[in-house]
Every structure is written in structure tokens, then in C-alpha cells.
Amino acid sequence: MKGIGALLKALTLEEKASLIIGAGNWTTAAVPRLGIPSLFLADGPHGVRRVVDEQGLGIPGLPATCFPTASCLASTWDTALVEELGRALGGEAKALRVDVLLGPGVNVRRTPLGGRNFEYFSEDPCLAGELAAAFIRGVQSRGVGTSLKHYAANNQEYERFTVDAVVDERALREIYLAAFETAVKKGAPRTVMAAYNRVNGVRACEHAALIDGVLRREWGFDGVVVSDWGAVKDRVVSLKAGLDLEMPGPRKDRRRAVVRAVKSGALPPRVLDRAVRRVLRLAAACAATSKGGATDWEAHHSLARRIAGEGFVLLKNEGVLPLGDPVRVAVIGRSAPEPYVQGGGSSRVAARRVDVPLDEIRARAGGAEVSFCEGYPAGPVIDQRLVDEAAELARRAEVALVFIALDEFVESESCDRTTTDLPANRVALIKAVCAAQPRTAVILGNGGVVTMEEWIDGAPAVLETWMAGEAGAGAIADALWGDVNPSGKLPETVPLRLADTPAFINYPGENGRVRYGEGLFVGYRYYDYRGAPVRFPFGHGLSYTTFEYGRLSFSETSFKDADGLTVSFEIANTGTRAGRETAQVYVRDVRASLARPVKELKAFVKTALEPGERKAISVHLDFRAFAFYHPGLGRWVAESGEFEILVGSSAADIRLRGAVRLRSTAGEPSLLAPGSSVRLWLDDERGGPLVRPLVEKIEAALSKEGGGGMLGFILESPLERLLRQWEEPLALNADETMADIMRRLHGKFSAPKQPRRPGGHGGGKGNNKEARKPGKRNLGKGIQEKK
């Protein structure tokens, strides 16, 4: 290809319009006379789905490695392993002549009912963002582009093409955009895919504030923004918003519309050229790596097995696992011979081979007698004959292994689940087998979490294997016999019941809108804030060994926000088996001016330890680890004050904690106004000293008159109103006094301008949870957002 500038000059208007709209279902337009190649795009997140017919949907596509899905991958909490997966996927994409792999998916799991949760990493944006960045780095190291998706607030399949996600600005920034931001800044994907849905009334593909504002100007993204397939409504409007490439094509009507808009003056030529320039840069980057070549499929199959083993989560174990050397093993459940390895939809891979759990168990069991029965049919209907047969088989064995999976396509693109409960026939089977055999292990296969209250108390051991990919069966045998020590940790909270979950009241929405009424409080943030019990907390996962944490220290106990903080501690393996432990570092803002979660994950480290081995761990927490997004100021703010650093094995298992003090280096202008309540004035760091003497005089006067009960009325009154009411008793001029207070308040600071907002509603709920408890007068530094 020639230089980009030369190509732009040589292209005709019609050719430029063709380059920003797909040429087929999976290809971009080529301009042969100028040497501009067509690019091939292909799904997906856990395997390459390269279609045979370039103009067809092609599900599932050419054979490729089916790796574990994102739910299993996320449970590894291992960025190095995810990057290794990315390199393997990039290699397969290159061999299959794919230029851009459409992944990873980084949307937050807002509700456990999400049909595509198996494609997404986590309920937490820190974990999701770091893993996505690693995935991107791995794939793109092989010369193949990635497409970070689905931007943004695309958190359900119900009405996914049209639904309007109504989300406040803090939740949007801190939860739903944060993982994208990390992936963009640390992974540098070549493309970002804009979603189908609306965000606060604006189509994601036409959302200039999100695309041109946040993504490009704030985060510095310089790649191509591509539409989800068929998501563009108006090509000219989306082009102006910053969407460079519409897929799929061909859409002659769209090309003509762009040409007409340029000729009529409705679309500035520079806007079209901007998009064409980005598409040309992508084409040049992809063309720099020749496609084709061989793939070591056996090596990738082995990698898929290793990833699966690292992602399995041992939820419960009352001494049943590892198995040891049983003589009689009962294998029960239809998913033992028919494994549930992936979900439905565009991510579905044509696996080159799929290992079978029953076969792998027979191979690993050696000379043991391994018997099998189906246990349950497809669907929810209980077949009592199968249940009774399974119970009797379990009773005669030394150990029972119950394989439980959801029915195929229950978890899929285009449809959300309707429940988190297992089907009735699986529940009946688990109960019967566990009652018959005290040494029973339940092996779960699912993409999103399932609730377990009907049966968990009776199950001695539970191993969550997710959708484990084509080699998951061998990994299951490895974990059951202890050849691999389970080290996975939950990327999503397992609730007691669906009704306990944060989005339960607001999902799926009505009249085309879904309101994110839980705000920031998604996943463990919600359960922490409410003090609500859960079945298994975020980050939970057992091991066949034990770990001890100690020696917590900080680079400084008082530090500047710009410098950040280094947290150091030690982990020791105090058991008899080698194992891997993921240490999770959470930050708690002890006192904040706006509502904040009780704690938030800000770093994690997975480390391997031999028995008796001890390792020193250090992580650095930067400014953002302590900051929240302030809608009134339109930026991230880290307030001076005390923070608590929490290090644990899960969100509920905190092993170490220590306090540090942050010193803000940013001179934040006050958002107090004459109409702000007296309470907010008193709680403000600079406003309090200015009004406290006046308030104390009023309190004293009221006390003399027996009006002490009016204190609450005073605190909730706007300051300017209170001054007018007490103008005569205090012998002051209300207007002059208010003006003087405002001058002294701002000092060298000028009143802030209202920021441009990406469709959010802004605003916070006031102060943090602790400060807002009834009976406390000092409620923190409460800041009134300007209206």
C-alpha cells in the first residue's frame, strides 16, 4: 500500500464511501487500482469462527480450537495465561487468513440472567479490564487485530437491538466504561465495536459523546470504531459521531447517502476523510503480517486443557476431593458423555475435537470400576426411574461424580435466561445421589452462575467447571484426582436467590428502556453495601492446600495522590500440596463526599507456591485506585483523607488490612452555592469554617427560646434562605453576607464550568454509607452538584 496521505488524495468520493461500509458479511471493501486490500473479520472470543461462505452467516464455520469461554477464562485471574491464549488465537486467526478477530467482550455482568455472560469476564471492571487488555496484547502480537466489544452499556439480550440503557454518569464511568478504558489504554485494540442499544436515549453507534468524546479524546483511542452487525440506523449521523466502519455490507443505499451528504454540504469532507484514514491505517497494519501458515493444533488443545484446569473453581469440599484411588466410581449425568463446552450464537466454534468427561475419567481411573447412568433427560421433567437408578448406582460405589449442565442453547446470544435455578430434574438427581452416597462431588457446567439453595447443603463437594471448551474433560479428570490443584476464583458473586441480585427490580425494563437503578452497586459492591448474605462471594475459590497471608506494608503511610502507593505483603503455602493463590487487593474510602462502595477491587496477583514456600508480593496502586468520578466536576477525584487497604482471598475473606492517608494535590473548586443546604456547607472542608460561627449563633438563640428542636430544620435549609430569615435577629445584610461568604469560599478558585457529559444524568447520593447513618450530624464533606 502507498502512504495514507497519497491514498486519500487518489481515492474518489465514491471509493471513500465504499471503504467505510462493508463489502460483504465479513469483508471490507478493496480498491484494487490503488492496492488497498479487503480485510476479513471473524468471531470470536474463545475460538476463531472463520466462515466457509464469505457471504453467509456461517455458524459454526471452519474447524478451530474451542478454548474455554470467558467465564472460565476469567476464573483463572491470570493475565499471563490469558495473554498466552491470545497468542494462540492470533496464530489460528492468522493461519485461517483472518485480519480482525471480533473479541474480547468486556461488558460487565450486570445481571446473572444475561444470555451472553459466558462471553464476558466479570461483574467487576478491574478484573474484566485487565484480562481484556491481556487478551488483546496476545492476539495482536501475532499481527491480527482485535475488536473490543460491545461499547457500551450492552448488558442484556432482551430487546438488545433497541433497548435504551438509562444509566447515571457515575455508574457509566466507574462500572460500565471502566473495563473498556483499561483495555484501550493497556491493550490498544485495533478496533472497538459499537453496540446495538441506546445509551441514555442515543444509539451507541451515533453517540458522539461516547465515541468521539470519551473513547477518542479522553482515552486516546486512534483505531477504527466498527458497528455491531446491522447496528447502524443512519450512516451519515454515525459517521459524524465518529463511527468509521459499518458492518456488514454491501449497502449501496448507505454509500449513496454518504456521497449525497458530502456533495450537498451536509457532511464535511474532512469527517469522511477522518474515517477513511483510520480504515486505511487498519488495512496497512493488517497487511503488514502475511496470512496463512500452519497451526500446532495439539499444542493448542493442550493449552485449552491447561486453561480449563486453571479456571475451575472448587466451591465446596468436605474431604471428598481429591479422589485418591477409589475402586468403584459412579459417574452420573447426561453431560458426562455429552459435555456442555460452549454457548450459542456468533461465538460458537466448530471445535476440531471435543474430549468426553466419561472417557477421560475411565482413562484416569486406571483399574477402577467406572459405572454410568444418565440421571436426567433433556428439559426440566423429572424421570423418577433415572433418579432411582442413579441413587442405587451411587449407593454401590465408593464415590459418586454427578455431572450437571444446563440444556444446550439456554445460554446464548439473542436470549437471556429466565431463571438462575437448575432445572427440577437436575435438582432431584443431586438430592437423591447425595442422600445415597456421602462421598459425592457435583461437577457443574454452565456459562453464568446458577443458584444452589435447594441442594447445596447436602452436596459434600462442588466443582464449577463453566463452559470448559474442547479439552475441558481432561482438565476435569485432572482436578478430581488432584493432578491439578484447583486455583480458580469466582469472577461473579453466586447469590442465594435471583431476587437478591442488584438489577432484579429494574431488569429487563419496560417501554423500551431499562433503568440501571442500582447505580454503582453492581455485584459484590451491592451485597457489601447492604450487608446481604450470598452463597459464594466474589473471588471465592478453595484449594487442596492452604495459604497464609502476612507482613503487610506500604511504601508510605501518607502519600500524594499523583504518586500512588505500593502495597507489599507475603503469602505462604502452609499445606502439603503445591498450589496457586490469587491475592486480591481492595481499597476502601473511609470517608467520601459522594456515595462509594464499601470496597473495590483495584489489583490482583496470582502466584504459584510449593509446600512450605513463602513469597513476597508487591502491587502498585495509582491515582485511579483511590479516585471516583465526580459528575459535578466532570473528572476523576481522589479526596484527601484515610483509605483502608484490604488484602484477601476473596471479597469476603480479608486476611490483611491497613490504613493509609492520601493527600490530594488537586485544588478542587467547591461546588457549594447559596442554595446549598446548611448541612452541606458545614460538612465542606472550606465552607464549614465560613458558616459555622453564624450557625452557632442561631443555635444559641434558638436554645434560649426553647427551640432546640429546630436544629434539623436549620441544617436542611438553603444557606441564603436561612440568612434572610435571621437577617434582623443577627443584624446582618443577607445579600452582602452571602456574597462575602462566596468570595471567601472560592478564593483563587473560579466556579467550574459544566462539563460535557456522555448522556449521563450525573449526580451522587450524598456521602458515604457510614456517614449517612441516622443520628450522625457530621455527614462528610457533602458537595452539592450544580444544577
Side-chain angles (χ1 to χ4, degrees), residues 77 122-124 127 489-494 523-524 534 536-540 584 586 601 649-652:
W77 290 60
S122 179
E123 69 184 29
D124 182 83
L127 177 60
K489 300 279 190 177
L490 287 173
E492 181 179 4
T493 305
V494 178
Y524 69 89
V534 299
F536 294 111
F538 174 79
H540 169 77
Q584 301 156 41
Y586 298 85
L601 181 73
S649 185
S650 80

CSV table of all heavy atoms in Angstrom, one decimal, residues 77 122-124 127 489-494 523-524 534 536-540 584 586 601 649-652:
chain,number,residue,atom,x,y,z
A,77,TRP,N,-8.0,-15.7,36.8
A,77,TRP,CA,-7.4,-14.5,37.3
A,77,TRP,C,-6.0,-14.4,36.9
A,77,TRP,O,-5.1,-13.9,37.7
A,77,TRP,CB,-7.6,-14.4,38.8
A,77,TRP,CG,-9.0,-14.2,39.3
A,77,TRP,CD1,-10.1,-15.0,39.1
A,77,TRP,CD2,-9.5,-13.1,40.2
A,77,TRP,NE1,-11.2,-14.5,39.8
A,77,TRP,CE2,-10.8,-13.3,40.4
A,77,TRP,CE3,-8.9,-12.0,40.7
A,77,TRP,CZ2,-11.6,-12.5,41.2
A,77,TRP,CZ3,-9.6,-11.1,41.5
A,77,TRP,CH2,-11.0,-11.4,41.7
A,122,SER,N,-16.6,-10.5,33.8
A,122,SER,CA,-16.8,-10.4,35.3
A,122,SER,C,-17.9,-9.3,35.6
A,122,SER,O,-18.3,-8.6,34.7
A,122,SER,CB,-15.5,-10.0,35.9
A,122,SER,OG,-15.6,-9.8,37.3
A,123,GLU,N,-18.3,-9.3,36.8
A,123,GLU,CA,-19.1,-8.3,37.4
A,123,GLU,C,-18.3,-7.1,37.8
A,123,GLU,O,-18.8,-6.0,38.1
A,123,GLU,CB,-19.9,-8.8,38.6
A,123,GLU,CG,-19.0,-9.1,39.8
A,123,GLU,CD,-19.8,-9.7,41.0
A,123,GLU,OE1,-20.8,-10.4,40.8
A,123,GLU,OE2,-19.4,-9.5,42.1
A,124,ASP,N,-16.9,-7.3,37.8
A,124,ASP,CA,-16.0,-6.2,38.3
A,124,ASP,C,-15.2,-5.7,37.1
A,124,ASP,O,-14.6,-6.4,36.4
A,124,ASP,CB,-15.1,-6.8,39.3
A,124,ASP,CG,-14.2,-5.7,39.9
A,124,ASP,OD1,-14.6,-4.9,40.8
A,124,ASP,OD2,-13.0,-5.6,39.4
A,127,LEU,N,-11.1,-6.5,37.1
A,127,LEU,CA,-10.8,-7.8,36.6
A,127,LEU,C,-11.0,-7.9,35.1
A,127,LEU,O,-10.2,-8.4,34.4
A,127,LEU,CB,-11.6,-8.9,37.4
A,127,LEU,CG,-11.4,-10.3,37.0
A,127,LEU,CD1,-9.9,-10.7,37.1
A,127,LEU,CD2,-12.3,-11.2,37.8
A,489,LYS,N,-10.9,-18.7,40.9
A,489,LYS,CA,-11.7,-17.8,41.8
A,489,LYS,C,-12.9,-17.3,41.0
A,489,LYS,O,-12.8,-17.0,39.9
A,489,LYS,CB,-10.8,-16.7,42.3
A,489,LYS,CG,-9.6,-17.1,43.0
A,489,LYS,CD,-9.8,-17.4,44.5
A,489,LYS,CE,-8.5,-17.6,45.3
A,489,LYS,NZ,-8.8,-17.9,46.7
A,490,LEU,N,-14.0,-17.1,41.8
A,490,LEU,CA,-15.2,-16.6,41.1
A,490,LEU,C,-15.1,-15.2,40.6
A,490,LEU,O,-14.7,-14.3,41.3
A,490,LEU,CB,-16.4,-16.7,42.1
A,490,LEU,CG,-17.0,-18.1,42.5
A,490,LEU,CD1,-18.0,-17.9,43.6
A,490,LEU,CD2,-17.6,-18.7,41.3
A,491,PRO,N,-15.4,-15.0,39.3
A,491,PRO,CA,-15.4,-13.6,38.8
A,491,PRO,C,-16.8,-13.0,39.0
A,491,PRO,O,-17.0,-11.8,38.5
A,491,PRO,CB,-15.1,-13.8,37.3
A,491,PRO,CG,-15.8,-15.2,37.0
A,491,PRO,CD,-15.6,-16.0,38.2
A,492,GLU,N,-17.7,-13.7,39.6
A,492,GLU,CA,-19.1,-13.2,39.8
A,492,GLU,C,-19.6,-13.8,41.1
A,492,GLU,O,-19.4,-15.0,41.4
A,492,GLU,CB,-19.9,-13.6,38.6
A,492,GLU,CG,-21.4,-13.1,38.7
A,492,GLU,CD,-22.2,-13.5,37.5
A,492,GLU,OE1,-21.7,-14.2,36.6
A,492,GLU,OE2,-23.4,-13.1,37.4
A,493,THR,N,-20.3,-13.0,41.8
A,493,THR,CA,-20.9,-13.5,43.1
A,493,THR,C,-22.0,-14.5,42.8
A,493,THR,O,-22.8,-14.4,41.8
A,493,THR,CB,-21.6,-12.3,43.8
A,493,THR,OG1,-20.6,-11.3,44.0
A,493,THR,CG2,-22.1,-12.8,45.2
A,494,VAL,N,-22.1,-15.6,43.6
A,494,VAL,CA,-23.2,-16.5,43.5
A,494,VAL,C,-24.2,-16.2,44.6
A,494,VAL,O,-23.9,-16.3,45.8
A,494,VAL,CB,-22.7,-18.0,43.7
A,494,VAL,CG1,-23.9,-18.9,43.7
A,494,VAL,CG2,-21.7,-18.4,42.7
A,523,GLY,N,-22.9,-6.3,41.6
A,523,GLY,CA,-22.1,-7.4,42.1
A,523,GLY,C,-21.8,-7.3,43.6
A,523,GLY,O,-22.7,-6.9,44.4
A,524,TYR,N,-20.6,-7.6,44.0
A,524,TYR,CA,-20.2,-7.6,45.4
A,524,TYR,C,-20.3,-6.2,46.0
A,524,TYR,O,-20.5,-6.1,47.2
A,524,TYR,CB,-18.8,-8.1,45.6
A,524,TYR,CG,-17.7,-7.2,45.0
A,524,TYR,CD1,-17.1,-6.2,45.8
A,524,TYR,CD2,-17.2,-7.4,43.7
A,524,TYR,CE1,-16.1,-5.4,45.3
A,524,TYR,CE2,-16.2,-6.6,43.2
A,524,TYR,CZ,-15.7,-5.6,44.0
A,524,TYR,OH,-14.7,-4.8,43.5
A,534,VAL,N,-24.6,-14.0,50.8
A,534,VAL,CA,-24.5,-14.6,49.5
A,534,VAL,C,-24.1,-16.1,49.7
A,534,VAL,O,-23.7,-16.4,50.8
A,534,VAL,CB,-23.5,-13.9,48.5
A,534,VAL,CG1,-23.9,-12.4,48.3
A,534,VAL,CG2,-22.1,-14.0,49.1
A,536,PHE,N,-21.8,-17.8,47.6
A,536,PHE,CA,-20.4,-17.8,47.5
A,536,PHE,C,-19.9,-16.4,47.0
A,536,PHE,O,-20.5,-15.9,46.0
A,536,PHE,CB,-19.9,-18.8,46.5
A,536,PHE,CG,-20.1,-20.3,46.9
A,536,PHE,CD1,-21.1,-21.0,46.2
A,536,PHE,CD2,-19.4,-20.8,48.0
A,536,PHE,CE1,-21.3,-22.3,46.7
A,536,PHE,CE2,-19.7,-22.1,48.4
A,536,PHE,CZ,-20.6,-22.9,47.7
A,537,PRO,N,-19.0,-15.8,47.7
A,537,PRO,CA,-18.7,-14.4,47.4
A,537,PRO,C,-17.8,-14.2,46.2
A,537,PRO,O,-17.1,-15.2,45.7
A,537,PRO,CB,-17.9,-13.9,48.6
A,537,PRO,CG,-17.3,-15.1,49.2
A,537,PRO,CD,-18.3,-16.2,48.9
A,538,PHE,N,-17.8,-13.1,45.6
A,538,PHE,CA,-16.8,-12.7,44.5
A,538,PHE,C,-15.4,-13.1,45.0
A,538,PHE,O,-15.0,-12.8,46.1
A,538,PHE,CB,-17.0,-11.2,44.2
A,538,PHE,CG,-16.0,-10.7,43.2
A,538,PHE,CD1,-16.2,-10.9,41.9
A,538,PHE,CD2,-14.8,-10.0,43.6
A,538,PHE,CE1,-15.3,-10.4,40.9
A,538,PHE,CE2,-13.9,-9.5,42.7
A,538,PHE,CZ,-14.1,-9.7,41.4
A,539,GLY,N,-14.7,-13.7,44.1
A,539,GLY,CA,-13.3,-14.0,44.4
A,539,GLY,C,-13.1,-15.3,45.1
A,539,GLY,O,-11.9,-15.7,45.4
A,540,HIS,N,-14.2,-16.0,45.5
A,540,HIS,CA,-14.1,-17.2,46.3
A,540,HIS,C,-13.5,-18.4,45.4
A,540,HIS,O,-13.9,-18.5,44.2
A,540,HIS,CB,-15.4,-17.6,46.8
A,540,HIS,CG,-15.5,-19.0,47.4
A,540,HIS,ND1,-15.0,-19.3,48.7
A,540,HIS,CD2,-16.0,-20.2,46.9
A,540,HIS,CE1,-15.2,-20.6,48.9
A,540,HIS,NE2,-15.9,-21.1,47.9
A,584,GLN,N,-6.1,-10.7,46.3
A,584,GLN,CA,-7.0,-9.7,45.8
A,584,GLN,C,-6.8,-8.4,46.7
A,584,GLN,O,-6.9,-8.5,47.9
A,584,GLN,CB,-8.4,-10.1,45.8
A,584,GLN,CG,-8.6,-11.4,44.9
A,584,GLN,CD,-9.9,-12.2,45.3
A,584,GLN,OE1,-10.9,-11.6,45.6
A,584,GLN,NE2,-9.7,-13.5,45.3
A,586,TYR,N,-8.2,-4.8,47.7
A,586,TYR,CA,-9.3,-3.9,47.7
A,586,TYR,C,-9.0,-2.6,48.4
A,586,TYR,O,-8.1,-2.6,49.3
A,586,TYR,CB,-10.5,-4.6,48.4
A,586,TYR,CG,-11.0,-5.8,47.7
A,586,TYR,CD1,-10.4,-7.1,48.0
A,586,TYR,CD2,-12.1,-5.8,46.8
A,586,TYR,CE1,-10.9,-8.2,47.5
A,586,TYR,CE2,-12.5,-7.0,46.2
A,586,TYR,CZ,-11.9,-8.2,46.6
A,586,TYR,OH,-12.4,-9.3,46.0
A,601,LEU,N,-12.2,-3.8,44.2
A,601,LEU,CA,-11.0,-4.4,43.7
A,601,LEU,C,-10.2,-3.5,42.9
A,601,LEU,O,-10.7,-2.8,42.0
A,601,LEU,CB,-11.4,-5.6,42.9
A,601,LEU,CG,-10.2,-6.5,42.3
A,601,LEU,CD1,-9.6,-7.3,43.4
A,601,LEU,CD2,-10.7,-7.4,41.2
A,649,SER,N,-8.4,-13.3,50.2
A,649,SER,CA,-8.5,-14.5,49.3
A,649,SER,C,-9.8,-14.4,48.5
A,649,SER,O,-10.0,-15.2,47.6
A,649,SER,CB,-8.4,-15.8,50.1
A,649,SER,OG,-8.4,-16.9,49.3
A,650,SER,N,-10.7,-13.6,49.0
A,650,SER,CA,-12.0,-13.3,48.3
A,650,SER,C,-12.5,-12.0,48.8
A,650,SER,O,-12.0,-11.4,49.8
A,650,SER,CB,-13.0,-14.4,48.5
A,650,SER,OG,-13.7,-14.3,49.8
A,651,ALA,N,-13.6,-11.5,48.3
A,651,ALA,CA,-14.2,-10.3,48.8
A,651,ALA,C,-14.7,-10.4,50.2
A,651,ALA,O,-14.9,-9.4,50.9
A,651,ALA,CB,-15.4,-9.9,47.8
A,652,ALA,N,-15.0,-11.6,50.6
A,652,ALA,CA,-15.5,-11.8,52.0
A,652,ALA,C,-14.4,-12.4,52.9
A,652,ALA,O,-14.7,-12.6,54.1
A,652,ALA,CB,-16.7,-12.8,52.0
